[in-house]
Amino acid sequence: MKKDLYNDKKRYEDWRDNPSTDEEISKENVKTIRDYVTDMEDGKNIGRGSIKGGRSYKRLNTLRIRMNFICRKLEDNSIFDITKVTEEQIFKLFNDMRK
């Protein structure tokens, strides 16, 4: 039996079951992040070189936090739907963060 020392499972389930936790980003981005993280939980849309199967709760929490951060940074640059972002805009965002 695995012990959940850092409460990753509880934190993930609380986020998944409570849709009002993502109020700081747009509704389109919330839906996109939730769909993506749910797919990762089920093991869908995994890269070719990756091991097939669902991801751990620690990884799922990390993904949702990082995606939320990137969406907030994009919204600061007036991009309110992550699915419509261009490659040039992403490069500019990461270069600005690096500087």
Side-chain angles (χ1 to χ4, degrees):
M1 179 171 128
K2 291 184 179 180
K3 293 185 180 181
D4 190 15
L5 297 176
Y6 301 105
N7 293 323
D8 291 317
K9 183 176 181 179
K10 182 180 180 331
R11 283 182 23 221
Y12 176 73
E13 289 174 347
D14 287 346
W15 172 80
R16 183 185 61 199
D17 297 338
N18 188 4
S20 66
T21 57
D22 297 320
E23 295 176 354
E24 59 214 24
I25 58 176
S26 67
K27 292 185 191 281
E28 294 88 8
N29 287 338
V30 169
K31 183 182 180 326
T32 304
I33 291 171
R34 286 192 175 272
D35 290 344
Y36 174 69
V37 174
T38 303
D39 284 349
M40 295 302 266
E41 180 183 14
D42 296 337
K44 299 177 190 172
N45 298 328
I46 305 295
R48 288 185 196 165
S50 299
I51 297 172
K52 302 298 179 194
R55 298 300 179 236
S56 68
Y57 292 111
K58 183 172 187 69
R59 180 67 182 149
L60 294 172
N61 283 325
T62 302
L63 285 171
R64 73 177 175 84
I65 290 167
R66 288 184 182 179
M67 291 295 293
N68 201 337
F69 174 79
I70 290 172
C71 287
R72 277 188 284 139
K73 291 295 182 186
L74 287 171
E75 287 179 6
D76 289 344
N77 293 330
S78 300
I79 302 167
F80 295 100
D81 189 0
I82 196 169
T83 60
K84 296 192 172 39
V85 69
T86 63
E87 186 177 10
E88 181 178 314
Q89 291 168 328
I90 289 290
F91 281 137
K92 183 180 181 321
L93 173 72
F94 283 102
N95 281 332
D96 290 345
M97 287 192 315
R98 190 175 302 124
K99 291 178 184 174

